[in-house]
Amino acid sequence: MTGDDPDPRASAGPDLGSEEVTLRDLDAGPLVVGTFVGLAGLFFLVEPVVDPVAVGGLEVRMVGLSALSLVVGLNLGAAVFLSRGERLVGLAHGVAGVGFGAFLLGLAVGSGTLLLAGVLVVVGGMLALAAQSRNLV
């Protein structure tokens, strides 16, 4: 290679580092989903140091808000991704959202049947996703 030859490994694409990212460039759907899932993680992490909060007439622990935020984020994710035609990602979010939702509702009302159903839905979804991922490789 001479000094005048271009480097074949150099990118021919635009220099993305020179462009500004504005709010219009952000995709609202995944951003909202990520916000709910991120809040779930934050609520979970602050559980040991934050007292329960009053929601209506109930005292709700941070771990409860974490689970609720996760369920909302997963179900919103299902709606967002399925509406865009991303079937596998949408179904993965939906199955997890329904499973964790059943689990959370089972805890809230003291139903062992709902707890078991939630666990079975999540485990079944994981197995189905694992089986499907073998087709993607």
Side-chain angles (χ1 to χ4, degrees), residues 17-41:
S18 64
E19 296 179 25
E20 284 187 36
V21 176
T22 65
L23 284 177
R24 288 183 214 152
D25 297 327
L26 299 177
D27 194 355
L31 189 63
V32 171
V33 170
T35 299
F36 274 102
V37 173
L39 279 173

Side-chain angles (χ1 to χ4, degrees), residues 48-66:
V49 294
V50 175
D51 292 331
V53 295
V55 177
L58 300 173
E59 292 285 318
V60 181
R61 292 176 41 201
M62 287 290 117
V63 72
L65 292 177
S66 172

Side-chain angles (χ1 to χ4, degrees), residues 100-111 114-115:
F100 283 115
F103 189 81
L104 178 62
L105 187 59
L107 285 173
V109 299
S111 170
L114 275 174
L115 282 170

